[in-house]
Amino acid sequence: MISLENPPGKRSPVQIRLASERGFCFGVRRAIELAQRAVQERGSLESLGPIVHNKQVVEMLRSQGMRIIESLDEMKGDTLLIPSHGVAQSIIQEASARNLKLIDATCPIVRKAQQVVHTLHEEGFTVLVFGDASHTEVKGLLSRAGKGAIATTQVPEFDTSLRRIGILSQTTQSQQHFISFLTEIVHSKLPSLAEIRVFNTICDATAKRQRAALDLSHEVDLMIVIGGHDSANTRHLADICRSAGVETHHIEAAAEIEPSWYTGRERIGITAGASTPEWVIKDVVQRLEQAAGER
Ligand code: SF4
């Protein structure tokens, strides 16, 4: 906890508290290290989409020699980096057909979820992914799930001929929402199904950051959540803080902070998504310290 003492005669101290679990997870660290090593060894590297959902990290790696491409047709070199959230199976096959060297930075937790999907499909289950169908990780899961697989955050209408459903979650979803989703499915769909198999594929780093954010939200009167606006785990952190009833703002960088947010606040909480670098968190803290000193 950082406590900011104001000069004598000014208002009471403002406290800035950092969530006990925040920022880079092991999967993001690993992906960045793999990319940096590959760029150093090979001189160039191309990543299919952003390596992680954080602009500052992508810019840092771009400045070190990594290119971001949107499709394999844009490849200039011979080495392709698979981002931390994985890619569809068809991309791996296409890269192999083009004789590209692969640096696979898929997070091991995401890879485990991909294996779960594959096993469910092999064993004849219809796969249901609790997650955002437009997210790259979920697209990668669906690509391994066979015909009839569904990705959604709402309980879907089932084909009445389905008998066995295998359910897992996008790794960065809210645990609480996954539990509610499962409860609703069991209540409304179990009578028409022979079997429901559930895998808890929400990653531990995500769950820890969610718990720490919720705990901190109960102790402060403003929460700042730092991370890419396209980062699913950061958006969920912000939703969790709001669900605790505290005013919450999701920002990517210190420059987005508005004075009206912190005016009159006594306790400000800060957390950050799993792809947010520590230097961005420090920038935000410094900005708030400076503002508190000017009160
Ligand atoms: S948030 Fe979890 S699943 Fe995603 S990269 Fe980090 S450790 Fe892996």
Side-chain angles (χ1 to χ4, degrees):
M1 183 180 82
I2 297 167
S3 180
L4 302 175
E5 294 292 339
N6 288 328
K10 295 228 171 173
R11 294 175 53 131
S12 59
V14 176
Q15 292 179 347
I16 298 176
R17 299 184 189 182
L18 293 167
S20 56
E21 298 280 346
R22 62 180 185 276
F24 276 1
C25 60
F26 101 96
V28 165
R29 266 185 226 288
R30 175 180 171 276
I32 294 170
E33 282 166 15
L34 282 170
Q36 287 179 319
R37 203 177 313 141
V39 170
Q40 274 169 13
E41 285 171 6
R42 296 164 191 275
S44 72
L45 180 68
E46 279 142 303
S47 170
L48 188 60
I51 177 172
V52 298
H53 288 130
N54 183 277
K55 281 184 187 157
Q56 293 99 333
V57 171
V58 169
E59 278 314 309
M60 176 190 76
L61 291 171
R62 212 196 290 269
S63 73
Q64 293 172 6
M66 191 177 80
R67 281 183 70 232
I68 310 295
I69 56 169
E70 297 303 322
S71 94
L72 295 189
D73 291 337
E74 296 170 33
M75 283 292 295
K76 289 187 177 161
D78 64 354
T79 310
L80 178 71
L81 180 111
I82 307 294
S84 59
H85 32 265
V87 292
Q89 187 66 24
S90 58
I91 299 287
I92 306 285
Q93 287 158 353
E94 195 185 334
S96 158
R98 292 177 183 229
N99 288 323
L100 296 175
K101 294 187 187 79
L102 287 186
I103 307 285
D104 190 356
T106 306
C107 173
I109 311 283
V110 173
R111 196 171 310 121
K112 198 168 156 203
Q114 292 173 347
Q115 282 158 0
V116 164
V117 164
H118 180 72
T119 304
L120 285 170
H121 174 48
E122 292 279 295
E123 293 184 9
F125 286 83
T126 297
V127 174
L128 177 52
V129 180
F130 175 69
D132 172 2
S134 66
H135 191 281
T136 317
E137 177 195 327
V138 176
K139 287 182 185 168
L141 293 174
L142 289 178
S143 75
R144 293 161 171 87
K147 272 174 68 179
I150 305 166
T152 179
T153 52
Q154 307 294 327
V155 173
E157 286 307 318
F158 287 125
D159 176 344
T160 48
S161 64
L162 294 183
R163 303 294 293 145
R164 303 167 81 213
I165 301 282
I167 308 175
L168 69 152
S169 175
Q170 181 181 351
T171 56
T172 49
Q173 284 288 330
S174 146
Q175 264 192 341
Q176 211 46 52
H177 291 169
F178 187 42
I179 291 168
S180 304
F181 178 81
L182 293 172
T183 307
E184 207 180 325
I185 290 214
V186 169
H187 277 297
S188 63
K189 306 294 179 191
L190 189 62
S192 66
L193 295 168
E195 186 175 355
I196 300 178
R197 194 176 291 182
V198 175
F199 287 85
N200 180 7
T201 45
I202 294 177
C203 93
D204 198 40
T206 295
K208 281 182 178 163
R209 278 155 187 69
Q210 291 174 356
R211 276 196 296 273
L214 185 61
D215 289 348
L216 186 56
S217 297
H218 289 128
E219 296 168 9
V220 297
D221 44 20
L222 174 71
M223 278 298 294
I224 305 277
V225 181
I226 316 164
H229 289 301
D230 56 350
S231 157
N233 77 83
T234 310
R235 283 203 304 264
H236 291 134
L237 284 178
D239 288 344
I240 285 166
C241 297
R242 287 189 194 104
S243 75
V246 66
E247 183 178 321
T248 301
H249 297 280
H250 174 179
I251 60 170
E252 275 188 352
E256 291 170 51
I257 296 173
E258 292 184 18
S260 60
W261 298 349
Y262 53 74
T263 304
R265 308 291 184 175
E266 302 291 331
R267 296 176 307 276
I268 302 174
I270 296 177
T271 188
S275 49
T276 308
E278 193 62 23
W279 81 78
V280 176
I281 302 172
K282 280 189 179 148
D283 270 359
V284 170
V285 172
Q286 273 172 8
R287 177 76 165 236
L288 291 169
E289 282 176 342
Q290 208 177 7
E294 288 165 3
R295 275 190 183 182

